[in-house]
Amino acid sequence: MTSAATVAFVHHGCPKNLVDAEVMGGILHEAGYQVIDDPDCSDVVIINTCGFIEDAKKESLDEIFLHLQTRSSHLVVSGCLAQRYADELRREIPELRALIGVDQIDQIAEAVRQVTGGDTYIPEPSASSPQPYDASRRFRSTPRHFGYVRIAQGCSRTCSFCAIPLIRGPYRSKDPELVRSEVEALVHDGAREVVLIAQDTTEYGADGREYPRLPELLESLSSAHPKTWFRLMYAHPDGITSELLQVISDRDNVCSYLDIPLQHVSPPVLRRMGRRGDPRRVQSLLEWIRREVPDVSIRTSLIVGHPGEGSEEFDELLGFVRRAPIDHTGIFSFSREEGTRAAEMPDQVSGSERRSRYNRLRQAAERQSREVKQRLVGRVLPALVDGHEDGSWLARHHGQAPEIDGYIYLPDGALEQGQRVQVEITGADAVDLWGALCDEERNKSP
Ligand code: SF4
């Protein structure tokens, strides 16, 4: 096989993993490979796996077995699962010929070269976590009008349930010059929205380097690109400062949006999780954010069934979800991850109890989200056209992050992907909104 071989990615996991896949795509492209969308038609398939929680691991493993049936000799497994379980994968699936962990993505072209030559490529794990890489020459997989910029790697917090620090190492902020050049490259390539991501974006610059902190970084990026929306994801509740809220509130092109993974609100559960807080503190945090950024939309994620969550603690969480004005809530059932402190804790919650609590919490969160979204009906909001589906245009306003927070459905008409429009909200359910273009928009050509 020559260097004109085609390579396709099968992606699993979060946007952080997606950026890794895009960077690997860029490396392969520069090495002369042709990166294509369709794994059924490519010479080599790279499965970029997720190893975060049980369900995600199972999905990634199912994908590996599916592709092994047809491609065992031209398959590369990369991503979190390959990093976390390299030895187990090698032992249990001897047909696997190439494994690339998250610390080894710079070796992807060599891995592809070896498997296409009939060889095996499973490098030894790196002795230390490498510094964040330059992602400005990536092979984009999101639509042109938005893109992700990962501002840091790893996490140095010690949440008892979380395997991320075991997989991705300690927190390392990316050099701000690299962040600037990645944003520059995305904007140059047509991005009208840049989403800043990390395991915890609020820790940016706090890891002993002479880098700006997050508010300063956000301020400088949004000033340099005044026509681009900037959105912040994964903001740890302890890292939200008045300086950060000030930048979000002052700058029109910083989305009035905060994604704050609260995980729980009951003090005994939070202590076991290695986190701080109680319902009153969370309530005042949310009220403070809404005072400082009046139009803010808030996303959170919660875990049900952490060890030590009795019915009283669960009821406290349920009561909070029923009251809190949160726009989007992601709910996860606790997953017992080997190597984490929570996996070894006493008072584990049974699987059936976790499922039942998950369903009750999800229903409460849906009711609450519907109510919060109903408050937008009648408002006129700027929106970005995201795509077209089944005869409707899909758009998003400041309060909806790409790929997770639902859409505004608009009637068919002369719009185009990436266009900015003014939309009047006419309806809402728990996830999505419906809208109509404002009059002057209807008369504009795209
Ligand atoms: S802050 Fe997030 S990524 Fe870091 S340990 Fe806690 S849950 Fe995991």
Side-chain angles (χ1 to χ4, degrees):
M1 196 171 290
T2 69
S3 63
T6 54
V7 181
F9 283 86
V10 178
H11 173 70
H12 286 257
C14 64
K16 286 152 275 189
N17 220 24
L18 180 75
V19 174
D20 282 348
E22 292 186 338
V23 170
M24 287 190 277
I27 294 171
L28 289 167
H29 180 69
E30 286 189 357
Y33 293 96
Q34 198 190 341
V35 183
I36 63 170
D37 288 336
D38 187 354
D40 290 337
C41 303
S42 67
D43 299 314
V44 178
V45 174
I46 299 172
I47 303 179
N48 197 35
T49 58
C50 176
F52 177 42
I53 53 173
E54 210 46 52
D55 289 352
K57 283 188 279 191
K58 185 175 176 314
E59 266 178 39
S60 290
L61 279 172
D62 288 349
E63 193 80 55
I64 292 172
F65 285 117
L66 181 77
H67 284 275
L68 268 179
Q69 291 169 9
T70 51
R71 302 300 183 91
S72 61
S73 59
H74 286 151
L75 186 66
V76 178
V77 174
S78 64
C80 292
L81 204 67
Q83 176 83 21
R84 191 175 174 194
Y85 296 108
D87 288 344
E88 291 84 343
L89 287 170
R90 207 189 317 208
R91 207 174 42 240
E92 305 291 328
I93 317 179
E95 309 91 295
L96 274 183
R97 304 246 301 262
L99 282 176
I100 290 289
V102 296
D103 289 344
Q104 298 160 332
I105 65 174
D106 56 337
Q107 299 174 46
I108 188 67
E110 187 55 22
V112 170
R113 199 174 70 80
Q114 296 287 348
V115 290
T116 50
D119 288 322
T120 307
Y121 193 77
I122 304 182
E124 286 304 314
S126 330
S128 59
S129 305
Q131 285 308 306
Y133 48 68
D134 177 1
S136 48
R137 291 199 304 280
R138 64 173 86 172
F139 195 87
R140 301 272 308 278
S141 56
T142 56
R144 281 284 171 275
H145 66 282
F146 76 84
Y148 297 100
V149 170
R150 189 155 80 196
I151 61 173
Q153 290 272 28
C155 184
S156 297
R157 295 199 191 259
T158 51
C159 305
S160 61
F161 54 86
C162 182
I164 293 291
L166 306 173
I167 303 171
R168 292 198 172 257
Y171 198 90
R172 287 100 72 207
S173 301
K174 182 175 274 187
D175 184 324
E177 287 314 314
L178 282 184
V179 174
R180 284 186 194 110
S181 70
E182 288 177 30
V183 169
E184 196 78 53
L186 282 179
V187 173
H188 185 71
D189 194 37
R192 308 200 75 191
E193 175 177 356
V194 171
V195 186
L196 302 181
I197 55 173
Q199 297 307 141
D200 171 9
T201 47
T202 64
E203 273 295 284
Y204 184 79
D207 51 326
R209 297 182 169 82
E210 294 198 355
Y211 291 166
R213 295 299 307 267
L214 180 65
E216 208 184 315
L217 180 77
L218 196 51
E219 167 93 50
S220 76
L221 295 174
S222 58
S223 308
H225 302 281
K227 293 193 175 144
T228 307
W229 283 5
F230 286 86
R231 182 185 303 281
L232 202 59
M233 303 299 289
Y234 316 115
H236 193 287
D238 291 349
I240 294 169
T241 60
S242 46
E243 290 80 10
L244 179 60
L245 297 182
Q246 184 95 39
V247 180
I248 297 176
S249 157
D250 284 357
R251 298 221 43 101
D252 283 348
N253 61 329
V254 175
C255 293
S256 298
Y257 178 92
L258 266 174
D259 167 33
I260 314 168
L262 294 169
Q263 314 297 10
H264 216 282
V265 295
S266 163
V269 179
L270 284 169
R271 299 298 161 271
R272 284 198 172 207
M273 286 179 158
R275 298 168 74 99
R276 301 189 308 160
D278 56 54
R280 216 167 38 81
R281 279 172 68 158
V282 174
Q283 191 63 33
S284 16
L285 172 72
L286 298 180
E287 283 167 9
W288 175 51
I289 294 170
R290 289 201 181 275
R291 251 193 334 270
E292 299 297 316
V293 190
D295 252 352
V296 72
S297 294
I298 297 177
R299 155 168 280 278
T300 194
S301 50
L302 301 168
I303 296 176
V304 279
H306 188 277
E309 184 194 70
S311 50
E312 210 173 297
E313 287 78 19
F314 174 69
D315 285 345
E316 206 165 9
L317 181 62
L318 189 61
F320 168 79
V321 165
R322 285 180 177 147
R323 289 186 310 273
I326 289 180
D327 303 69
H328 318 282
T329 305
I331 299 171
F332 297 88
S333 181
F334 171 74
S335 174
R336 198 171 180 176
E337 293 301 313
E338 54 269 76
T340 63
R341 293 196 317 288
E344 304 307 324
M345 284 181 181
D347 309 319
Q348 298 282 332
V349 179
S350 71
S352 59
E353 186 58 33
R354 270 186 274 141
R355 276 190 293 282
S356 143
R357 291 181 190 176
Y358 172 90
N359 288 333
R360 289 172 63 200
L361 199 66
R362 194 168 53 86
Q363 281 169 13
E366 277 176 12
R367 261 197 303 276
Q368 183 64 359
S369 289
R370 184 175 298 112
E371 207 178 299
V372 173
K373 289 190 177 74
Q374 284 292 338
R375 297 176 199 164
L376 292 172
V377 174
R379 297 271 312 272
V380 172
L381 302 171
L384 186 62
V385 178
D386 230 20
H388 191 266
E389 188 185 278
D390 299 333
S392 297
W393 282 102
L394 310 178
R396 289 180 293 106
H397 69 100
H398 270 211
Q400 293 172 301
E403 302 177 317
I404 47 168
D405 289 336
Y407 296 104
I408 309 170
Y409 283 82
L410 297 171
D412 212 352
L415 295 176
E416 63 183 31
Q417 200 176 39
Q419 187 180 347
R420 290 267 167 71
V421 287
Q422 290 287 326
V423 169
E424 181 178 347
I425 305 299
T426 55
D429 68 13
V431 181
D432 297 304
L433 303 167
W434 280 260
L437 286 182
C438 292
D439 276 344
E440 69 265 33
E441 301 289 343
R442 274 194 210 99
N443 301 329
K444 257 191 220 165
S445 53

